[in-house]
Structure formats: structure tokens, C-alpha cells
Amino acid sequence: MTTHALPPVVDTATWERRLAALRAREKAATRELDAIAAERRRLPMVEMPDYTLEGEDGPVRLVDVFEGRRQLITYHHMWFAGQEWQCPGCTGFTAQYTRLEFLESYDARFVVITQGPIEEALAYKRRVGNRMTWYSSANSPFGADVGAPPGGGFAVNVFLRDGDTVYRTWHTDGRGTEQLSHTFALIDLLPYGRQEEWQDSPEGWPQSPTYSRWATSKDIAALYGPDAASDHG
């Protein structure tokens, strides 16, 4: 007999009634998210200066980061000087994105920008097996101006290009970035959820300190980095 906490066992009709009630709330939440997205499309925007960032091939203007597309999403990866392993949350979050070509059909691009010097940033990208395109704002006020200053937290920004002029249209940070992730969406479907102490769970549900189940940056490198690739052929 199991010693783990379990949901109550009921007959099929009772389960279907409870599921239907929950689904009504889920559908309402979906409609609210649709309304939020509609409002996002109606947000005003602000014109950006002509920033210069550093890319794999050298200096690049922000407008050229679009690579001819009209829309750009930037994930601002936390960076701490002198650290071998950078933020595990940022490292794990951006590890999800291995196939971004679908954005081309939407005239858009999604890239990583960090305050780390470009040579160090690219070396870290290779070490952890990251598949996104990286840029550095180490020599530019860009990161600080869009909510991701040196030594600061992570952020997501969205930009729209009109000719050579770039506009900032949206920003979020903290848990606002979860809507871009499939990992939390999948985990939240599970009966035990994220199993973190802050979650509202039934009595006896497994719960651990926040972040304790997250993969470390070293773990991610072992799974996706160049050594992992050679190990798995």
C-alpha cells in the first residue's frame, strides 16, 4: 500500500462533474488571456535610441538584430562577472528554445541579450548547449534602459521596427515570463504540481524549498553541452 498522499478516489460521474467545473474556470482564464493579448496589441510604444550591441561577428546596431524582420523578442539573461555557471533559471529557461524558425512566418525573431562580454557570453552559450542567438549589451546602456541592468535580474522585451526606427512595445520580468515557457505549463498539469513550498496544495502533498527541483546550470551543460552531444553520438 502506498504511503504517498493521493487525491481522493471517486466514481466516474463525480470525477466528470469536478472536471467540468474546473474546465469552466480554465476556459474563462483562456478567454481572459485572449483579452489581455488583444490589449497588448493595442499598447502604445516608445521610440528607442540607435543602440549598438555586440554579436558573434562584432558590433551590430539594434535595428540590425531584427535581420530584416519587423518584430523582435529579447530575453535578457542574468549575468554575474567571474562566475563559471550563470543563473540556472535563465540557463534552463532559454534551453527550451531549440527550434525558433517558426517565428519567420510571423516576421519575428527571438534572441538572448546579456550584460556579459560577448566572448564570455558565447563561451557560456557553447558550454551549456544553448541554441539561441546571443548578443551582449556590456558596452551599451541598452540593457539598463530596458529593465535589465548590470548585475540585475532577467527580463523580456518586445520591439517593432519601422524602417530604421525601433520601438519598444512590451516588457515583463519575474513570473511574467512563465507565459513563454512550456516547462511550467506541463508541470502545472501534474497532480503534485511544482512541489514548491509556496504553492497552495492539499495537506500531505510533496513540497520542497523553492527552486530545489530546478536543474543547475552544470546539469544543463551535462545534458545539452558539447560533451553531452559527443556522449550521445
Side-chain angles (χ1 to χ4, degrees):
M1 187 167 188
T2 182
T3 59
H4 299 297
L6 298 172
V9 178
V10 297
D11 60 84
T12 299
T14 301
W15 178 81
E16 289 179 344
R17 285 196 300 271
R18 291 287 298 272
L19 178 62
L22 177 61
R23 185 167 294 159
R25 295 181 63 185
E26 291 172 341
K27 295 297 185 183
T30 298
R31 290 190 291 272
E32 176 62 11
L33 288 174
D34 286 343
I36 290 170
E39 181 63 22
R40 189 181 295 118
R41 291 190 292 272
R42 289 166 173 78
L43 278 177
M45 59 188 184
V46 293
E47 184 174 344
M48 304 298 289
D50 186 15
Y51 295 102
T52 297
L53 306 177
E54 297 288 333
E56 189 167 0
D57 297 321
V60 56
R61 296 170 62 203
L62 176 61
V63 67
D64 293 326
V65 173
F66 286 73
E67 292 194 341
R69 300 172 183 88
R70 293 201 64 197
Q71 302 172 105
L72 175 70
I73 305 168
T74 58
Y75 182 85
H76 299 263
H77 195 296
M78 294 172 67
W79 189 271
F80 298 100
Q83 298 295 313
E84 179 183 9
W85 300 107
Q86 297 296 331
C87 169
C90 292
T91 304
F93 184 88
T94 57
Q96 301 173 73
Y97 305 107
T98 60
R99 297 179 181 177
L100 291 169
E101 292 80 8
F102 72 92
L103 286 173
E104 295 175 7
S105 297
Y106 296 88
D107 205 10
R109 195 171 184 229
F110 182 21
V111 302
V112 171
I113 298 179
T114 185
Q115 292 285 356
I118 188 61
E119 295 83 4
E120 295 180 25
L122 292 175
Y124 185 72
K125 169 190 169 174
R126 289 189 291 271
R127 188 182 314 133
V128 298
N130 191 283
R131 300 288 295 277
M132 296 180 70
T133 302
W134 285 48
Y135 297 89
S136 169
S137 57
N139 299 315
S140 168
F142 175 69
D145 290 350
V146 296
F154 60 93
V156 172
N157 283 280
V158 180
F159 303 92
L160 180 67
R161 180 183 65 84
D162 185 23
D164 282 343
T165 305
V166 175
Y167 300 92
R168 187 185 186 197
T169 65
W170 188 73
H171 164 87
T172 194
D173 54 22
R175 294 192 64 198
T177 62
E178 288 185 9
Q179 63 188 292
L180 310 179
S181 166
H182 69 259
T183 54
F184 290 125
L186 288 172
I187 295 167
D188 285 343
L189 293 178
L190 301 173
Y192 293 140
R194 303 186 198 184
Q195 301 177 48
E196 295 191 351
E197 292 173 333
W198 61 270
Q199 282 200 292
D200 180 0
S201 295
E203 184 70 27
W205 250 228
Q207 288 187 303
S208 306
T210 302
Y211 310 129
S212 62
R213 293 178 182 271
W214 291 25
T216 67
S217 298
K218 189 174 181 179
D219 293 335
I220 292 164
L223 289 169
Y224 306 114
D227 293 339
S230 62
D231 290 343
H232 293 86

